[in-house]
Amino acid sequence: MFDFVRSSLHALWMLVTVIPYGIAVLVASLWQRGEPLYWIAASWLRLAVQGARVICGIQVRVSGMDNLPVGQTSPAVLLVKHQSTFETFLMPTLMPHPLAYVFKKELLQIPFFGWAMSRLDMIHIDRSQRAQAFVKVVAQGRRLLEQGTWIIMFPEGTRVARGEAGAYKSGGTRLAIETGAPVIPIAVTSARCWPRRAFVKRAGVVDVSIGPAIPSVGRQPDELMREVQGWIESEMRRLDPQAYGAADGSGLQPRDA
């Protein structure tokens, strides 16, 4: 019951704060674009993460920050383990560069949150048009990477349950190879505290482990994604061994995006 009450308060906190921030982004976008507008939006994500810490008792422990590329325009494609909504909120609060998410365009219809996202320099795609969607991802991704914005993708495509591995799709590695950007694999144990499709959150520690940069030049998408998947899933077992037991998704093969 206590977790339900705290989760309800956090949901209320996000609802109350997203409205003024969404309006602020929409108004500011009338004369401001690019990085300044991004950081206004990221401020709300920071409030959501801080609210999870204060209200729900969710702490964050990060390792591997020294693995991130250094330099104002150094490119990177972040490929992140996807267990819950939490990492989508958390990543912009950790990274020193603006992030551009690749996401389905339907999210733009969410009041305030989606409306604000529509004003940011993100990559929203129509999943029903797969070939055209990837062409758009590469074109926009190259432009964003050149200006110092990092691309973030969830190679499993959807949130997976704690202790499981989804089918890793090769879209992120294809983008990295097309643009020459290194890949940064990231393991996140968010489902320990914020399970997928769950309203009730639990107090605890979410570990974020940032892996070494993997060069993409001269690689094949599936082969590179197997390396990414191997690192992430191995790291997940190290960070959260009690979640896996006999479960082993390391043999899953990446698919085309």
Side-chain angles (χ1 to χ4, degrees):
M1 175 60 75
F2 185 50
D3 285 341
F4 178 80
V5 171
R6 297 207 298 185
S7 299
S8 298
L9 289 173
H10 183 249
L12 180 62
W13 168 252
M14 290 197 296
L15 176 62
V16 168
T17 55
V18 75
I19 295 174
Y21 269 91
I23 293 173
V25 169
L26 292 172
V27 172
S29 69
L30 296 176
W31 70 86
Q32 184 69 265
R33 286 299 180 97
E35 191 167 337
L37 192 64
Y38 170 86
W39 291 118
I40 295 174
S43 297
W44 178 76
L45 298 177
R46 193 176 303 278
L47 277 181
V49 171
Q50 290 174 343
R53 174 176 56 82
V54 174
I55 299 170
C56 299
I58 299 176
Q59 307 292 325
V60 177
R61 182 167 53 202
V62 183
S63 61
M65 288 292 289
D66 55 336
N67 287 325
L68 295 172
V70 176
Q72 188 173 359
T73 58
S74 298
V77 175
L78 311 182
L79 298 182
V80 184
K81 179 70 178 179
H82 201 16
Q83 289 191 326
S84 81
T85 303
F86 188 65
E87 56 266 15
T88 64
F89 289 174
L90 179 63
M91 288 301 141
T93 73
L94 300 178
M95 296 299 154
H97 284 238
L99 301 182
Y101 283 82
V102 179
F103 61 92
K104 57 186 179 182
K105 67 177 185 178
E106 288 80 5
L107 294 179
L108 299 177
Q109 300 171 9
I110 300 174
F112 298 102
F113 179 80
W115 301 342
M117 286 180 66
S118 71
R119 311 304 293 172
L120 302 177
D121 211 350
M122 303 282 178
I123 306 174
H124 43 89
I125 59 174
D126 184 347
R127 287 185 173 179
S128 67
Q129 300 179 351
R130 296 168 66 89
Q132 297 92 324
F134 186 71
V135 170
K136 178 179 181 180
V137 169
V138 171
Q140 289 189 235
R142 180 175 284 112
R143 174 181 59 80
L144 289 165
L145 288 165
E146 288 175 352
Q147 68 188 37
T149 296
W150 290 349
I151 308 301
I152 179 170
M153 298 178 71
F154 300 105
E156 291 163 293
T158 188
R159 293 166 288 179
V160 297
R162 184 184 180 193
E164 295 183 5
Y168 279 63
K169 302 175 184 177
S170 62
T173 51
R174 289 168 64 196
L175 171 63
I177 291 167
E178 289 279 354
T179 59
V183 169
I184 310 294
I186 302 178
V188 186
T189 64
S190 55
R192 272 201 301 227
C193 302
W194 188 328
R196 66 166 187 165
R197 301 172 186 166
F199 177 77
V200 176
K201 307 166 186 66
R202 299 185 295 267
V205 177
V206 172
D207 280 296
V208 178
S209 180
I210 303 168
I214 305 174
S216 65
V217 177
R219 303 290 297 272
Q220 294 298 315
D222 285 353
E223 176 254 339
L224 179 54
M225 184 54 78
R226 280 192 292 271
E227 183 175 347
V228 170
Q229 177 181 357
W231 188 91
I232 290 177
E233 293 303 323
S234 175
E235 189 69 355
M236 290 298 296
R237 284 158 176 74
R238 185 186 73 83
L239 295 172
D240 194 11
Q242 64 271 32
Y244 287 87
D248 186 359
S250 59
L252 290 172
Q253 299 297 309
R255 303 182 305 181
D256 288 342

